[in-house]
Amino acid sequence: MTPVHIPTSHAGSLPRTPELIAANAARTYAGDGFTLERTPEFEALLSAAVVDLVQRQKNLGITIPGDGEYGKAMSNAVDYGAWWTYSFQRTFGLELTEFNPITADPVRSEPGRIRLTSFADRRDWTRFAAAYADPESGIQLGRNATAFPTATGPISYSGHGALAADIANLKAGLAAADLPTGFITALSPGSASRIGNEYYASEEEFIWAWADVLREEYKAIVDAGLTVQIDDPSVAENWDQINPEPSVGDYQRFTQIRIEALNHALRGLPEEQVRFHVCWGSWHGPHTTDIAFADIVDLVLGVNAGSYSFEAANVRHEHEWTIWQDKQLPDGKVLVPGVVSHATNVVEHPELVAQRIERFASLVGPESVAAGTDCGLGGRLHPDIAVAKLEALGRGAEIAADRLSRRVSATS
């Protein structure tokens, strides 16, 4: 029988241990009011937690593990923003002001000139305002570890020490678990730039400044022999943050600037060590105003990455697997569809996971598919449920690989 291997991974964030959450909550802020101080005791706890996490991922059948984003501070069990707020800790030129992108005044767009409004003014949030305001509705965003700052001067990268620790911790975990490689997430310029800006002359100039800042993260991760996963939900979820709804053409042009800035930041880096993650926002809302994947898939494939991670398991986007019936995946590229979802507490049956994997394998070939999660599980699901979902992912990939191997053998 010709063996087929389906790699397994996830979208980055995994539930933090109670000890790590408590340690983050106990950290003090620097004089700027948002940078969390690091101590030798915290660093030791963090390192041990990552090493343990990598082994646990291997035990669950994850073949391309990450550090769980443990180095990205989360001081509450429910926190949907740690993937983003970590960047504030690693960037010079930011300070706290009265501006908050979540609660800022609404901004109105017009044809040919679209702009992001506040998060609270999203079209899905305003359509279901009563649900979003109800603490018992199941829609919760938790609390972030830090406040949102504003760029008040030229921005530059300051996270060399924190990033070096992330890299060292993951590599220690990989060595202890006898695994060849893993991945670390890093923010995209388009997502990073959605904070206040009092220094740069235009939104586009601000995005390109972030590209120069974040390139330092991308390059350091790749140079360490690891995969960098670029987290860029803004490519999809910005659509809902434009009010009123724009034309698809206007939105594609608006987003193309962000793709070009990201590719500038990725220039010269080996594509096989770059994974691009796009999602429609991980909060557990209705998502009725999400843009169709078909309208942004060319933008996603325009990113100079070797693999593409996206939502394919939740009830709002699972049907979109059919776009790959008509969309040609470039040679050498890999799809990493979510086959378990962060958006439900129901644990997917391994047979369903296998069926989802096989759908994509039948369209782009088994060699071009890895199994992933819709979005991060950390801060969004109870740790026990997250473990069960990763276990289902690993088992489902085994089932799919076995069946695909038999099919390949039968036709060879």
Side-chain angles (χ1 to χ4, degrees), residues 167-168 171 174 180-181 184 218-227 273:
I167 291 170
K171 295 190 80 169
L174 293 170
T181 191
I184 290 177
Y218 307 162
K219 189 173 186 305
I221 294 167
V222 166
D223 286 349
L226 303 168
T227 291
Q273 286 179 252

Side-chain angles (χ1 to χ4, degrees), residues 233-317:
S234 72
V235 166
E237 58 147 304
N238 274 351
W239 169 262
D240 180 50
Q241 202 180 333
I242 297 166
N243 211 335
E245 179 181 307
S247 70
V248 170
D250 272 354
Y251 184 74
Q252 290 169 337
R253 286 185 286 273
F254 175 85
T255 306
Q256 183 61 37
I257 295 168
R258 290 147 176 81
I259 301 298
E260 291 171 359
L262 173 56
N263 283 338
H264 174 74
L266 291 170
R267 66 192 183 279
L269 301 184
E271 292 186 1
E272 63 272 17
Q273 286 179 252
V274 178
R275 183 165 79 192
F276 182 70
H277 172 69
V278 62
C279 69
W280 283 260
S282 58
W283 62 88
H284 295 180
H287 284 274
T288 58
T289 51
D290 286 359
I291 193 170
F293 195 20
D295 290 332
I296 60 169
V297 67
D298 287 334
L299 292 163
V300 170
L301 292 177
V303 174
N304 295 333
S307 56
Y308 303 93
S309 162
F310 54 91
E311 294 186 66
N314 71 56
V315 294
R316 196 68 196 177
H317 293 283

